[in-house]
Amino acid sequence: MAPLQVYYSGLLFTPGSSQIRVGYLKNIPWVTMEPKVADVWNSLIQTLEGHTSWVYSAVFSPDGKLVASASGDNTVRLWDTSTGKQCGVLEGHLSGVYLAVFSPNGKIVASVSQGGTIRLWDIPTGKQCGLLEGHTSWVYSAVFSPDGKLVASASSDKTVILWDISTGKQCRVLEGHTRGVSSAVFSPNGKLVATASSDKTVRLWDISTGKQYGVLKGHTHSVDSAVFSPDGKLVASASWDETVRLWDISTGKQCAVLEGHTRAVSSAVFSPNGKLVASASDDKTVRLWDTSTGKQCAVLEGHTRTVSSAVFSPNGKLVASASDDKTVRLWDTSTGKQCGVLEGHTSDVNSALFSPDGKLVASASWDKTVRLWDTSTGKECGVLEGHTDYVNSAVFSPDEKLVASASWDNTVRLWDTSTGKQCGVLEGHTSVVNSAVFSADGKLVASASDDSTIKLWDTSTGKQCGVLEGHTDWVNSAVFSPDGKLVASASSDKTVRLWDTSTGKECGVLKGHTRDVNLAVFSPDGKLVASASSDQTVRLWDSATGKQCGVLEGHNDLVNSAVFSPDGKLVASASSDKTLRLWDTRNKATIEIIKTHAVIKIMKFSHDGTHLHTRHGILQLKSPLHSGGNQELPHTLPHSLYVTGQWITCNMKKLLWLPVDYRLSCSAVNDSANLIVIGTAHGRVIFIPIDLTALPAAYLQPSVNVLP
């Protein structure tokens, strides 16, 4: 589809010590600074992409030639492990599929869906060959007996049902748990079933009689899964208490507690030789443990969201892990240690923005820090540490001397950009601070919080100088009017409120939206306010009277952002429906609809009103949209660099493919410097400067958007 672009990507993102990279990177003259990459390869072998929603589980076929993955997109997909190619899609479920499992002979797959049904599939034909119904609530798991004649299914209805595969009929119901049963598994000899439950216990059952054989107690929270060792002598159980526990079947005694995960453990599985346990966790990692010592021997890092399950290949050399990041990853167990130190953030990067002069980038992260980066070198030039919880956003003051950061720790912090030192802790909010914004003169900061208030702060002293109270739900954003005399606040209570900054008094309640208001913004002359809402509309308000003077309807998903043109005659709105709409504020009509590759949340008009600048690049508007009407576009147009989920584009043409580990959780584009900054869910901040003069001519032909 795009061989040249993939070749470019292979050179840019290959580890730094690669001889191919060293020898051939000069063949990409339009990238003027190499992005920061790992020095050497890690243990990740393949990423299998194709599902359109979360992947809940993945499992190898008995011969190791296939992987079956179950997803919230209502499908099970089959993958060839030697090539990574998709070789089958099992469709028929009416809701998300939580689990897929092969029969011992590899000819049948059983899949479990949210709807409480279990479907059986014939692998050679891909056809459904059975439907097992009987549970009265969600089915959490299903597993074949070693001889393939039975399936055991575990349900939130507190029972486990044993099914005869040949007839599809129930042959036994195992009852005794006092809460939902998360999983069930047969012992290697097929004589026992172990069940894990939200009642904090693992129970053992004799399948010949249906009688309870033992209760394994010790976990302090729900147990998600239990599994027998290959020799049947041990059971490993995974729990929300962040541990895996090993149990001796003959005595029922706990013989090891495997500690190290920092969030709930969703599953644990033994290697074929029983010497290792692999555990999958909400902390985004898979961990390998030595069963003889209980010691951790590897941490497999790479997923960007919760890891739902992990499983060994039949020869024990690979682990396949399934994640909410929509991928399945394969790992080499012999080299599963971290092989590169990634400098920068250690968790998701939430936002990245350029300083007004473009010389710095500030990135805010879930690792509780804000980091400053020099755009000329890509080097980190400051770590702003002090927050005790996630940082939601960071913003520069107009003179670039300060950064204000808003955090889940209920504070706003001020930082000196020249020294990286904290110069103020703005404390007073009693809940999460969603955003902070400077006034035009930089003397005030307004902070919006989930505690339903906006607070005003004096930046010179760090003192609170106003509490704006009146909202009855979360305040999502606040913004100063151009003259600094008013603040407009947008809230989940469905209103926008106007406040007098000199007195702190409410001077208007703008009612009309039917759902959360995400953002409010003043027109350049301060006479209008535009509000963007989850009710899929933008509304215009007279700031002097508080009266609604227009409802802009057309989006079919929540509206994230709205901005006025420099002359105030246009409003641009961006929605989660991945469209951007331009509206005439005089007749309230849609003038242009632009389809975007990503959800736009931050944008502004160019000075002449002919373009929209976003953190994903420049969007060019149709010629009649200038302040003066039907003017021609200027002869020299800025080029549009844009970042999508998988691609960097130039003038809407695919330029560079982004590998999975380098895809954005946020991005920013400095159009004047043609510099792209990508923040990833792994904590990386990547700089990719583009020399437009070195690009092939085809990329430099502007693509002007037109109505679909």
Side-chain angles (χ1 to χ4, degrees), residues 1-6 8 30 597 640-642 644 646-658 695-696 698-699 703:
M1 291 175 63
L4 182 60
Q5 291 88 334
V6 173
Y8 289 155
W30 42 267
H597 296 290
S640 177
L641 290 171
Y642 198 92
T644 70
Q646 297 186 31
W647 288 95
I648 292 172
T649 65
C650 181
N651 293 321
M652 305 300 174
K653 301 175 182 71
K654 291 178 179 177
L655 179 62
L656 181 67
W657 181 76
L658 297 173
L695 279 174
Y699 284 101
S703 301

Side-chain angles (χ1 to χ4, degrees), residues 188-404:
N189 62 12
K191 294 181 179 180
L192 297 178
V193 166
T195 57
S197 169
S198 298
D199 66 11
K200 307 177 187 178
T201 71
V202 176
R203 294 175 190 249
L204 302 177
W205 310 81
D206 185 320
I207 66 168
S208 64
T209 64
K211 299 296 185 182
Q212 187 171 285
Y213 174 81
V215 183
L216 311 182
K217 296 182 180 180
H219 283 295
T220 59
H221 211 311
S222 299
V223 186
D224 268 354
S225 71
V227 61
F228 284 94
S229 61
D231 61 9
K233 294 180 179 180
L234 296 177
V235 163
S237 54
S239 170
W240 284 30
D241 65 11
E242 302 177 2
T243 71
V244 176
R245 295 175 190 250
L246 299 181
W247 311 84
D248 186 314
I249 294 308
S250 62
T251 65
K253 299 295 186 182
Q254 181 178 289
C255 49
V257 181
L258 312 183
E259 297 179 292
H261 283 295
T262 57
R263 297 191 68 181
V265 186
S266 53
S267 73
V269 62
F270 284 93
S271 61
N273 63 10
K275 294 182 178 180
L276 295 177
V277 164
S279 54
S281 171
D282 288 358
D283 66 10
K284 308 176 188 176
T285 71
V286 176
R287 294 173 191 252
L288 300 181
W289 312 84
D290 185 314
T291 57
S292 63
T293 65
K295 299 294 186 183
Q296 180 177 289
C297 49
V299 181
L300 310 182
E301 297 179 290
H303 282 295
T304 60
R305 299 191 68 175
T306 295
V307 186
S308 307
S309 69
V311 63
F312 285 92
S313 61
N315 62 11
K317 294 182 178 180
L318 299 177
V319 166
S321 56
S323 169
D324 290 358
D325 66 11
K326 305 180 185 177
T327 69
V328 178
R329 295 179 186 240
L330 302 180
W331 312 83
D332 186 321
T333 58
S334 64
T335 62
K337 295 181 180 179
Q338 179 175 303
C339 327
V341 179
L342 307 178
E343 299 177 356
H345 289 292
T346 57
S347 189
D348 298 32
V349 182
N350 297 322
S351 69
L353 76 159
F354 286 93
S355 59
D357 64 4
K359 294 180 179 179
L360 294 176
V361 164
S363 56
S365 171
W366 282 18
D367 68 5
K368 307 175 188 177
T369 71
V370 176
R371 293 175 189 253
L372 299 179
W373 310 83
D374 186 319
T375 59
S376 63
T377 64
K379 301 293 186 182
E380 182 179 279
C381 54
V383 182
L384 314 184
E385 296 179 289
H387 283 296
T388 58
D389 210 330
Y390 301 155
V391 184
N392 287 322
S393 66
V395 62
F396 285 93
S397 61
D399 62 6
E400 305 169 5
K401 293 181 178 179
L402 297 177
V403 165

Side-chain angles (χ1 to χ4, degrees), residues 685-703:
V685 176
I686 302 163
F687 288 70
I688 304 178
I690 305 294
D691 180 359
L692 294 175
T693 63
L695 279 174
Y699 284 101
L700 303 181
Q701 299 170 4
S703 301

Side-chain angles (χ1 to χ4, degrees), residues 497-512:
R497 294 178 188 245
L498 300 179
W499 312 85
D500 186 316
T501 56
S502 62
T503 64
K505 300 294 185 182
E506 182 179 281
C507 52
V509 182
L510 314 183
K511 296 181 180 180

